[in-house]
Amino acid sequence: MKTLSIKTKLLLLIFLLLLPYLLFNIFTYIRLEKQIEVNAMHYSEQLVQQLNSRLDTYFDDLERSSLPIIVHPLVQQLMDISPEKEDYPYFHLSERIREEVIPSVIFDRPEIYGFKIVSDQGATIGNFRGLQNGSTSVNNWDEIPNHRYKIIEVHYLDSAPILTIARKFWSTPSYRHSGLLVFELRLNHLTQHFTEVELGPSGFLQVIDENGQILFHSQQEEAGQLMETTNLEMSKGMNTGSFITRNDKNAKRIVSFDRSGLTGLTVISQIPFEDLTAKPIVRHINTWIHLAFIAMIIIGVSLFSFSLTQSVSHLQKLMRQAETGNLHVRAPDNRQDEIGRLNRSFNHMVGQIRHLIEVIHKSELREKEGVIRQREAMLLAMQSQINPHFLYNTLEIINSYAIVQEVMPISRMATALGEMFRYSFNEQAKVTLQDEMDHVSRYLEIQLERYPKLEVQQVFDYDDLKAVKAIRLIVQPIVENAFKHGYSKHFLKPDYIGIFGEACQDGYKITISDRGKGMDPRRLEQYNELLHQPPDEQVQPDGIGLWNVHQRIRLTYGKPYGLTIIKSGAHGTDIELKLPYA
């Protein structure tokens, strides 16, 4: 055991503890599951038989109570009357039936919504209150049995389900003509005892007729629909029984059914097996067994882990010494398990730290030397700069002389150039887009003096620019880039510059367009790929002045702001600049 790795020892220990536990649980689970299935099937079969027996009792009672109606002399006379030929006798007889027969039918039977008597001579009388002229029409009288009711349909009136049933009878004296006794019954009244049955959280009951139509369902929205094909087809020839089916998720469901020979109705119960296995007693037994085995595993692993404490504690002391700066400590590396490999890794780490400290110390010395050289270069650059005030005064003198000599182009250029210098030398980095567009306008004034045929198109709402954040000198370099790379580089005279602004989903975008010569598609794709990289992964390309502008925007405002080259080709270039609102 001493030569085995810690991982192997732990796995072996857990396996020896868990194997009996797993075997016991598998055996217990199989036995319990089988017993639960048997008990659930037996209970479900008894339940559906009792429920169907109640329906049989009701329809048997309804059949007996309707017998006085069938043999009533007035109803028998109605069977032999033709309404078309004997108009007045039919009317007189109908009124008597309404006064003498109908009240005895509907008295003290709240489940009867309406009924009618129909003869094969076309005579019809009743008190149907749901649909016009009755609830339904029976086209094939041969389908109606002589001595029991047949279910015709289920329909809804004011969201209440109404069951229509019919019974055929014959004219007693002559047996020449037949008639139908049709009832409309409130289905909720017949199945109220069904709703009191509980079959678990997701179990349900349903009643279907001989045509597969669902007359009752625990989920009311399913009532009135046709039942889908199920394993009930496998049980044809049996009036009662149970079987187990599985759904699309392979979950077991116990289905029990009972088919009535009197009414043809089938009562079906479906109970998910998972509802049965979640009973408190079974769950509590399994919980205590699980807790006992888990406690054994925890105790065994704890005892084994305690034996590793000394080695880990010693390594921890060495690490604390290394944290205080003693990087010359070493851990024993004569063990072959994970502790030994950990000690060797610690020794290697301490050695690497000592080496890196030496490297960093040398790097800091070189960095300090570089900072000193950089400051010296900045001092020389500052000494060589022109005093901005001297430059402004010179431009004012040039502007004054131009006004005196009435050379207005020089005056406008000097004024615009002075404003550009003041904006450029301003130490404020963040400005509004309105400030930046004012600077671009002064730049374009100078270019218009150089290129009189230049067309400048600016389309944006000037008032919107105040609410857009910007950085000083980000738009003018893009416009200057269009003159330099779109026109001058290809020996073309600038003829068009367009600046378009509009609000977008995540900010405000400015599009700068020219009609010079652009770049090839491959180079365009390379530049856009570079501009979409994170700032810390970008490498400054050769020959592209836009990179600096994009870097400043991205570092200040982050994604998705910055530059994108929309298109570039022989007919010009469109560059989009996206900025956030304040």
Side-chain angles (χ1 to χ4, degrees), residues 222-325:
E222 298 290 335
Q225 302 181 12
L226 289 177
M227 184 177 181
E228 297 180 359
T229 302
T230 64
N231 289 346
L232 282 176
E233 294 183 355
M234 300 171 54
S235 304
K236 285 184 176 179
M238 298 175 57
N239 289 330
T240 186
S242 298
F243 57 87
I244 294 177
T245 184
R246 295 180 183 270
N247 59 13
D248 297 335
K249 298 180 180 179
N250 203 32
K252 290 197 297 185
R253 185 179 292 269
I254 297 176
V255 181
S256 299
F257 65 94
D258 181 76
R259 187 179 296 111
S260 172
L262 177 63
T263 62
L265 298 179
T266 303
V267 180
I268 304 171
S269 70
Q270 297 194 34
I271 307 174
F273 192 76
E274 61 182 4
D275 290 354
L276 301 174
T277 56
K279 290 185 176 180
I281 297 177
V282 177
R283 185 170 63 249
H284 291 164
I285 292 175
N286 285 332
T287 301
W288 284 111
I289 294 175
H290 280 280
L291 290 175
F293 276 94
I294 290 173
M296 292 174 59
I297 293 173
I298 293 175
I299 294 173
V301 173
S302 300
L303 293 175
F304 179 78
S305 301
F306 182 77
S307 64
L308 305 176
T309 304
Q310 287 184 334
S311 299
V312 175
S313 299
H314 179 65
L315 181 60
Q316 187 178 14
K317 292 179 181 179
L318 296 178
M319 293 181 69
R320 288 176 180 171
Q321 294 181 22
E323 288 177 356
T324 59

Side-chain angles (χ1 to χ4, degrees), residues 251-521:
K252 290 197 297 185
R253 185 179 292 269
I254 297 176
V255 181
S256 299
F257 65 94
D258 181 76
R259 187 179 296 111
S260 172
L262 177 63
T263 62
L265 298 179
T266 303
V267 180
I268 304 171
S269 70
Q270 297 194 34
I271 307 174
F273 192 76
E274 61 182 4
D275 290 354
L276 301 174
T277 56
K279 290 185 176 180
I281 297 177
V282 177
R283 185 170 63 249
H284 291 164
I285 292 175
N286 285 332
T287 301
W288 284 111
I289 294 175
H290 280 280
L291 290 175
F293 276 94
I294 290 173
M296 292 174 59
I297 293 173
I298 293 175
I299 294 173
V301 173
S302 300
L303 293 175
F304 179 78
S305 301
F306 182 77
S307 64
L308 305 176
T309 304
Q310 287 184 334
S311 299
V312 175
S313 299
H314 179 65
L315 181 60
Q316 187 178 14
K317 292 179 181 179
L318 296 178
M319 293 181 69
R320 288 176 180 171
Q321 294 181 22
E323 288 177 356
T324 59
N326 183 9
L327 299 178
H328 296 280
V329 295
R330 284 188 62 84
D333 53 2
N334 55 351
R335 298 183 58 162
Q336 301 301 319
D337 56 7
E338 284 84 354
I339 295 295
R341 288 194 291 272
L342 185 61
N343 290 341
R344 288 190 289 273
S345 297
F346 171 78
N347 294 335
H348 177 72
M349 179 189 67
V350 173
Q352 288 293 323
I353 291 175
R354 289 199 303 268
H355 173 71
L356 290 174
I357 289 176
E358 295 175 359
V359 172
I360 292 172
H361 180 66
K362 294 179 181 179
S363 176
E364 288 178 349
L365 292 177
R366 288 194 297 268
E367 184 178 357
K368 289 180 180 179
E369 292 176 358
V371 170
I372 293 174
R373 294 194 186 96
Q374 184 179 8
R375 289 181 177 177
E376 291 176 352
M378 290 176 62
L379 180 61
L380 293 175
M382 292 174 63
Q383 292 174 352
S384 63
Q385 285 182 348
I386 301 175
N387 190 332
H389 295 288
F390 172 74
L391 182 60
Y392 299 152
N393 293 335
T394 302
L395 290 174
E396 288 294 336
I397 293 173
I398 294 173
N399 182 36
S400 301
Y401 276 112
I403 294 173
V404 171
Q405 297 297 325
E406 297 183 355
V407 186
M408 299 313 296
I410 296 178
S411 173
R412 288 193 296 270
M413 293 176 66
T415 302
L417 186 60
E419 293 296 330
M420 287 182 63
F421 278 126
R422 284 189 178 91
Y423 186 78
S424 300
F425 290 147
N426 193 339
E427 295 181 357
Q428 182 180 0
K430 294 183 179 181
V431 295
T432 66
L433 187 56
Q434 183 188 55
D435 298 331
E436 186 66 11
M437 293 308 298
D438 289 340
H439 178 67
V440 172
S441 297
R442 290 188 284 269
Y443 172 78
L444 290 174
E445 276 186 51
I446 298 174
Q447 294 291 26
L448 285 169
E449 296 296 337
R450 294 181 60 195
Y451 307 107
K453 295 184 178 180
L454 174 65
E455 178 188 354
V456 176
Q457 184 181 11
Q458 300 186 57
V459 181
F460 48 79
D461 190 342
Y462 191 78
D463 294 333
D464 290 345
L465 305 182
K466 297 179 182 179
V468 181
K469 295 181 179 180
I471 306 173
R472 194 161 49 87
L473 298 177
I474 57 173
V475 181
Q476 183 265 337
I478 302 175
V479 179
E480 184 177 355
N481 191 75
F483 282 97
K484 180 178 179 181
H485 294 283
Y487 294 107
S488 299
K489 184 177 179 180
H490 302 286
F491 304 100
L492 299 174
K493 286 189 176 181
D495 59 355
Y496 176 81
I497 291 293
I499 304 176
F500 308 93
E502 63 175 340
C504 58
Q505 183 177 2
D506 46 8
Y508 193 88
K509 64 180 180 181
I510 290 286
T511 304
I512 297 94
S513 301
D514 66 70
R515 295 175 182 169
K517 288 188 176 180
M519 61 191 76
D520 59 84

Side-chain angles (χ1 to χ4, degrees), residues 45-207:
E45 288 180 13
Q46 289 185 337
L47 176 64
V48 295
Q49 288 173 7
Q50 292 175 3
L51 293 174
N52 214 350
S53 177
R54 290 188 182 184
L55 291 177
D56 288 346
T57 301
Y58 172 80
F59 283 103
D60 187 63
D61 177 69
L62 183 63
E63 183 178 357
R64 288 194 302 269
S65 62
S66 64
L67 185 60
I69 303 173
I70 296 173
V71 299
H72 197 283
L74 296 177
V75 175
Q76 290 296 321
Q77 292 179 32
L78 183 67
M79 294 299 98
D80 296 323
I81 290 178
S82 175
E84 297 179 357
K85 298 178 180 180
E86 301 172 271
D87 186 22
Y88 179 77
Y90 169 71
F91 175 78
H92 179 70
L93 188 60
S94 298
E95 290 298 318
R96 292 189 61 189
I97 291 175
R98 288 191 180 94
E99 294 175 1
E100 300 178 22
V101 179
I102 291 180
S104 65
V105 175
I106 62 176
F107 181 77
D108 200 26
R109 294 196 76 106
E111 77 277 12
I112 298 179
Y113 185 81
F115 87 103
K116 68 177 178 178
I117 302 171
V118 183
S119 73
D120 56 0
Q121 297 288 327
T124 301
I125 186 171
N127 69 332
F128 267 33
R129 291 171 288 174
L131 299 178
Q132 191 71 20
N133 298 324
S135 174
T136 187
S137 60
V138 180
N139 297 323
N140 189 359
W141 286 34
D142 294 334
E143 295 179 357
I144 308 292
N146 293 327
H147 301 293
R148 67 181 179 89
Y149 284 100
K150 178 177 177 60
I151 295 173
I152 305 301
E153 69 168 8
V154 175
H155 64 274
Y156 288 83
L157 292 175
D158 299 329
S159 72
I162 303 298
L163 177 67
T164 304
I165 62 175
R167 175 186 178 182
K168 186 167 62 175
F169 63 94
W170 295 88
S171 175
T172 305
S174 61
Y175 281 91
R176 291 183 303 169
H177 301 293
S178 63
L180 284 181
L181 186 61
V182 186
F183 280 93
E184 279 186 325
L185 304 175
R186 291 182 174 88
L187 189 58
N188 289 341
H189 185 85
L190 301 183
T191 58
Q192 60 183 356
H193 52 278
F194 283 66
T195 59
E196 300 171 359
V197 177
E198 295 184 1
L199 296 178
S202 54
F204 60 87
L205 281 171
Q206 57 184 348
V207 180

